[in-house]
Amino acid sequence: MNQDKNKIKILISGGGTGGHIFPALSIANAMRRRRPDCEILFVGALGRMEMERVPAAGYRIEGLPVAGFDRKRLWRNFGVLIKLWKSMRKARRIVADFAPDAAVGVGGYASGPVLKEAQKRGIPTLIQEQNSYAGVTNKLLAPHASAICTAYDGMERFFPADRITLTGNPVRKELTQCTFTQAEAKKSLGFDPERPLIFVTGGSLGARTVNDAVAAMLPRLRKENTTQLLWQTGRLYEQECMAKASGYDDVKASAFIADMATAYRAADLVVARAGAGTISELQLLGKAAILIPSPNVAEDHQRRNAEALSERGAALMLLDSDAVELLGDMALKLVNDKAKLAKLAEAAGAMAMSGSDDKIADILISLISKEK
């Protein structure tokens, strides 16, 4: 435990995807706003995107050699178990050396070993569960967690009810700070401000099915000649998608979009995977969306996330297996139906929970105060 009674030390672990990293950074930034002198150390998985993104945001990070279990090829898990053992040893050293006042787990491979070690040492731990269906790691950590912050109602079926607080998922603050009108945002991106715009995003790496579905939609987009398309392909699929988009005047494709705030503001309709972070962004910004859940995630949690919105009329859900065949018809029909778009956007906005990062920071400070 930290010996300086006035200085707060926070350990934040997890990552693997932007959906984990951005909330983690938001919590860290909220803690810095509350207590500018607090010391924060991140722990991530070696080789994953947090090892670049966290230092770029101005924070220290340590990496663990941890990896996820291969559910399809079980013979590969011998190496995974060795990495887990090494990670637990390294987590033990990190927790002992840093001596945090509290540890936060945001999900992802690294959060298990770190929070388990913190719990063994009697350090208060906070779990931030982003999805409507809890992950295995968080379910295992929950019995000894001091606080559990969730983004959906009904999570007591996974966690001890007396430790749950409904906070929502932290969202990057810059997304809500765009000052453009929708027409200005379209114009700044090089689109006609008078015509509807579909924004497709498969995340920073990209999504194979989403990109294939967009490619299948392109000939119809040209034929109908009413709709424009902003296509974030992800870096894994950049070359092939850029080649498919070339020759289409109303299509702009790129691997990565730095200014997501403007892209969201410009969009009449968003097509995306159903990761927790994306959904929280859509809710906070009040955007109409077609959600295509990834089938390649643990516990099929993206489908459950998408259902949580579609059942409330806050988004349309399109299964991955149907996306290539049906996206074109669904998206082009919806983007030209202003009444339906408005209804979806309003319902999504009604589900939004703002100030999540500050709420979580308040809970953390409360835990530390009780301990001290």
Side-chain angles (χ1 to χ4, degrees):
M1 193 71 69
N2 178 19
Q3 298 303 308
D4 183 339
K5 297 298 182 186
N6 294 314
K7 188 174 184 180
I8 287 179
K9 298 176 79 174
I10 306 289
L11 197 57
I12 301 178
S13 61
T17 66
H20 289 131
I21 297 162
F22 295 131
L25 288 171
S26 294
I27 294 167
N29 292 337
M31 284 299 301
R32 280 263 173 95
R33 290 194 300 273
R34 290 279 193 288
R35 297 288 295 268
D37 65 332
C38 79
E39 189 177 349
I40 296 171
L41 176 65
F42 280 78
V43 181
L46 288 169
R48 306 291 289 192
M49 62 191 293
E50 60 264 29
M51 301 307 294
E52 293 179 11
R53 293 287 176 89
V54 170
Y59 293 98
R60 284 195 302 136
I61 187 167
E62 294 259 12
L64 302 182
V66 68
F69 280 92
D70 192 325
R71 291 172 170 82
K72 293 179 181 175
R73 292 160 291 192
L74 296 177
W75 67 89
R76 293 192 172 186
N77 288 322
F78 179 72
V80 172
L81 289 170
I82 292 173
K83 287 180 178 179
L84 179 60
W85 178 75
K86 288 180 178 177
S87 296
M88 290 172 74
R89 284 187 63 192
K90 190 169 183 181
R92 199 174 306 138
R93 179 184 60 75
I94 291 169
V95 174
D97 290 349
F98 187 63
D101 294 294
V104 179
V106 296
Y109 304 140
S111 64
V114 172
L115 261 70
K116 194 75 180 167
E117 183 60 31
Q119 289 176 348
K120 279 184 189 174
R121 293 172 181 266
I123 296 166
T125 56
L126 182 149
I127 293 170
Q128 202 260 320
E129 175 55 64
Q130 295 145 17
N131 295 293
S132 61
Y133 192 88
V136 172
T137 300
N138 280 349
K139 283 190 280 190
L140 291 172
L141 293 167
H144 301 290
S146 310
I148 302 166
C149 297
T150 66
Y152 293 90
D153 286 313
M155 298 301 284
E156 57 275 0
R157 68 191 193 276
F158 305 113
F159 303 132
D162 61 333
R163 273 164 271 173
I164 295 173
T165 304
L166 184 65
T167 60
N169 284 324
V171 170
R172 292 169 281 177
K173 284 212 178 295
E174 60 265 27
L175 292 183
T176 62
Q177 294 168 347
C178 181
T179 57
F180 285 142
T181 64
Q182 186 177 50
E184 288 169 343
K186 285 179 183 177
K187 200 170 179 182
S188 78
L189 293 170
F191 291 104
D192 181 348
E194 302 299 323
R195 295 167 64 203
L197 174 67
I198 299 172
F199 172 37
V200 178
T201 173
S204 54
L205 297 178
R208 163 61 68 190
T209 305
V210 174
N211 286 331
D212 287 347
V214 173
M217 181 173 74
L218 292 178
R220 182 168 170 184
L221 191 80
R222 171 180 277 166
K223 184 180 177 184
E224 297 198 4
N225 196 32
T226 59
T227 304
Q228 306 168 103
L229 177 67
L230 177 60
W231 184 7
Q232 183 185 11
T233 67
R235 62 180 174 83
L236 292 180
Y237 306 102
E238 179 180 12
Q239 297 304 319
E240 62 182 275
C241 292
M242 294 284 277
K244 288 173 182 174
S246 66
Y248 287 88
D249 295 335
D250 296 328
V251 178
K252 295 187 187 301
S254 64
F256 180 74
I257 294 174
D259 189 357
M260 287 290 285
T262 300
Y264 273 131
R265 180 60 57 89
D268 294 276
L269 172 66
V270 179
V271 176
R273 285 301 200 193
T278 298
I279 285 179
S280 294
E281 291 169 359
L282 294 169
Q283 291 170 336
L284 199 61
L285 299 172
K287 303 304 295 188
I290 295 172
L291 299 173
I292 305 173
S294 170
N296 307 312
V297 293
E299 287 86 41
D300 202 18
H301 68 253
Q302 285 206 8
R303 182 176 63 82
R304 297 166 196 266
N305 290 348
E307 285 173 345
L309 272 74
S310 62
E311 288 167 2
R312 292 171 173 84
L316 298 187
M317 183 175 76
L318 177 60
L319 293 180
D320 189 87
S321 55
D322 298 328
V324 174
E325 182 184 353
L326 301 180
L327 179 63
D329 185 58
M330 183 184 284
L332 291 169
K333 186 177 177 182
L334 178 56
V335 79
N336 288 290
D337 186 341
K338 289 187 177 180
K340 179 69 172 172
L341 287 174
K343 214 169 179 181
L344 288 169
E346 184 180 356
M351 294 180 71
M353 284 175 271
S354 59
S356 303
D357 51 354
D358 289 316
K359 291 173 190 170
I360 294 168
D362 286 341
I363 293 168
L364 262 179
I365 290 170
S366 175
L367 288 177
I368 293 166
S369 299
K370 282 179 191 172
E371 190 69 18
K372 288 193 174 187

